Amino acid sequence: MKFRMKEDAMTVNLTYGDLDISGDETKGFRPFQLMMASIVGCSGSVFRKILEKQRTELEDLQISSTVERNALQANRIEKITLHYIIKGYHLDAEKINRNLELSRKNCSMIQSVQDTIQIEETVELIELSS
């Protein structure tokens, strides 16, 4: 990837389109937002693939996230909390939690930061009637 400096941002042209990065969110995505999006996007897609392979009957998968940052250390990310909300049929909590552990081991973004950022994951199951 080749990044260019703009007046108030860095920009890169990717296959999907241009990505502007700036500390000012009116000028582009803030770096911590991209870090969060990378972790959530990777984790969610790996988790979904595993659930589908296990034939879990998913209707919807949502992930809400929060971030804790340390203002005394360059506003570094200290902790990320991911809350998975799974809607589906015949949901097996034990199986889903095992699959979440497996997805964590196979998510390259979580594996890249796990020694420096605490990542906490929780699951909420919403059973739909047939």
Side-chain angles (χ1 to χ4, degrees):
M1 287 186 268
K2 191 176 210 175
F3 294 82
R4 288 182 289 113
M5 187 169 67
K6 292 172 54 172
E7 185 175 329
D8 295 320
M10 293 297 295
T11 190
V12 61
N13 180 271
L14 303 169
T15 305
Y16 190 71
D18 289 343
L19 176 65
D20 293 331
I21 306 163
S22 175
D24 178 350
E25 62 187 26
T26 65
K27 307 287 185 196
F29 293 100
R30 295 180 64 199
F32 92 91
Q33 292 170 326
L34 295 171
M35 173 74 81
M36 294 291 292
S38 294
I39 290 169
V40 171
C42 179
S43 176
S45 63
V46 170
F47 190 35
R48 185 190 74 234
K49 286 177 189 174
I50 291 170
L51 291 173
E52 288 173 353
K53 284 183 181 178
Q54 294 286 325
R55 295 194 170 106
T56 301
E57 296 179 59
L58 287 181
E59 186 67 31
D60 190 30
L61 171 62
Q62 297 177 23
I63 304 171
S64 60
S65 63
T66 57
V67 62
E68 292 178 22
R69 300 175 74 185
N70 185 336
L72 300 176
Q73 291 187 343
N75 228 5
R76 80 182 289 281
I77 296 172
E78 303 259 325
K79 180 180 178 181
I80 294 172
T81 302
L82 304 176
H83 181 68
Y84 300 80
I85 303 166
I86 300 169
K87 295 179 185 176
Y89 304 92
H90 315 291
L91 300 175
D92 179 337
E94 187 176 317
K95 181 178 172 183
I96 288 171
N97 282 310
R98 278 195 318 266
N99 289 332
L100 181 58
E101 288 176 28
L102 182 60
S103 72
R104 182 185 184 108
K105 291 177 185 174
N106 288 286
C107 172
S108 61
M109 296 297 100
I110 288 178
Q111 291 301 308
S112 296
V113 301
Q114 73 177 354
D115 293 334
T116 56
I117 299 173
Q118 179 186 354
I119 298 180
E120 181 178 290
E121 297 167 299
T122 59
V123 176
E124 177 182 344
L125 301 178
I126 300 173
E127 184 72 38
L128 301 174
S129 56
S130 304

